Amino acid sequence: MAGSGQQALADTAPIYLDRHYSPQERAADLVSRMTLAEKASQMNSSVSPAIPRLGIAQYGWWNEALHGVAREQLVN
């Protein structure tokens, strides 16, 4: 039966990974799965650490309003 494997995967995937849900629903699901320590670690304004168990890669998000977007800080 074609597609049944895809449906099974969609049924087991967390909401935050399913693009059929709204960004608000996905964000709420992701945050609900994070520990307090993980949430706090994402507040670092230069480089936020990865959360491997949730599939979140390390990233940087600092910028400065006075000078516009100063840097993008993509981490490979």
Side-chain angles (χ1 to χ4, degrees), residues 13-46:
I15 290 172
Y16 74 93
L17 294 175
D18 188 339
R19 293 181 184 221
H20 291 101
Y21 289 91
S22 72
Q24 293 82 4
E25 291 170 311
R26 294 175 66 199
D29 181 59
L30 177 59
V31 171
S32 75
R33 295 170 186 272
M34 295 170 71
T35 65
L36 182 58
E38 289 168 339
K39 291 173 189 174
S41 74
Q42 298 301 296
M43 298 303 293
N44 184 334
S45 67
S46 60

Side-chain angles (χ1 to χ4, degrees), residues 61-75:
W61 54 273
W62 181 89
N63 67 58
E64 184 179 330
L66 181 60
H67 298 104
V69 177
R71 57 185 163 167
E72 198 169 287
Q73 289 192 340
L74 294 177
V75 179

